[in-house]
Amino acid sequence: METWVKLEEFAKIANLEKEKILEMVANGELKSQEKDGQVLIDAGSGTSALVKTNGNAILLPESSSGVDSDFVEKTIGTILNLHEKVVSSKEETILSVKNENQFLKDALFNTQEVYEDDKKTIATLREQLKAAQEEIEFLKRKYRLMWGKVVSGEAQSKGEIDEEPKQGEDN
């Protein structure tokens, strides 16, 4: 299994300087490839050459009896797999937050549109209410005038009004 890691990331993991890693690539101790202008290191290829102890990476000869190379390879592979999972979940979290932010942004815009529509509706209803109130006032005046003439006309016909119209006045 080949796991390609950026040079800078591999330098952090192995706690080595970039120059030392590039030297190991030149010597053939580490596999590398260049993609999109970046140097990528195969993390699995360095497991037999690198062991991380006390914060420093040390080179082990193949015949070292103190450390089992299979153990070191599996340990580094496990660490790299865990690192990949962490990075993957970090990316998923970022994507989830971006989606949530987009949802909230869309909801805010929709709420703003509804608010604007409601403002227009309220203004239209106020205009209609004002027109209806004016019409009611007009009808009240007309009703009073009409019923006022009818009442005064009946009163005159029954003789209840003693006052005679003055000359020059119209009824």
Side-chain angles (χ1 to χ4, degrees):
M1 177 180 104
E2 292 183 344
T3 304
W4 296 100
V5 181
K6 292 179 185 176
L7 176 65
E8 294 81 13
E9 198 172 341
F10 188 80
K12 278 185 185 177
I13 292 170
N15 199 22
L16 287 174
E17 295 180 8
K18 290 179 189 177
E19 293 76 23
K20 180 67 176 173
I21 294 171
L22 291 174
E23 181 181 313
M24 292 173 72
V25 167
N27 293 338
E29 295 173 10
L30 295 174
K31 286 185 193 175
S32 72
Q33 71 176 11
E34 189 168 329
K35 186 175 183 182
D36 297 329
Q38 292 186 339
V39 176
L40 301 175
I41 306 294
D42 177 27
S45 70
T47 56
S48 62
L50 293 175
V51 175
K52 196 167 187 171
T53 59
N54 296 331
N56 295 319
I58 57 171
L59 295 177
L60 288 179
E62 292 293 328
S63 62
S64 173
S65 61
V67 179
D68 183 19
S69 65
D70 287 339
F71 172 75
V72 171
E73 190 171 326
K74 287 179 182 178
T75 303
I76 291 177
T78 303
I79 291 170
L80 289 174
N81 285 335
L82 290 174
H83 175 72
E84 286 179 22
K85 288 179 182 178
V86 168
V87 169
S88 176
S89 80
K90 176 182 164 187
E91 289 171 357
E92 288 175 14
T93 303
I94 289 170
L95 182 63
S96 173
V97 169
K98 283 182 180 181
N99 289 339
E100 184 178 346
N101 284 346
Q102 186 62 43
F103 172 77
L104 292 174
K105 186 178 178 181
D106 291 343
L108 185 62
F109 284 135
N110 289 338
T111 304
Q112 184 68 28
E113 288 175 6
V114 168
Y115 172 73
E116 292 296 324
D117 289 344
D118 288 350
K119 256 175 64 174
K120 290 176 185 176
T121 303
I122 289 171
T124 302
L125 291 174
R126 282 186 179 153
E127 289 175 18
Q128 290 176 353
L129 179 62
K130 185 178 177 183
Q133 286 174 337
E134 289 173 359
E135 186 176 346
I136 289 171
E137 286 300 316
F138 171 75
L139 290 174
K140 281 182 182 178
R141 286 192 305 269
K142 184 178 176 182
Y143 176 79
R144 280 188 209 127
L145 220 136
M146 181 177 77
W147 283 104
K149 284 184 179 182
V150 170
V151 169
S152 64
E154 276 186 31
Q156 282 181 354
S157 67
K158 290 184 180 180
E160 292 179 5
I161 299 182
D162 294 334
E163 189 179 312
E164 292 183 21
K166 296 180 184 174
Q167 290 182 352
E169 277 190 12
D170 290 332
N171 286 356

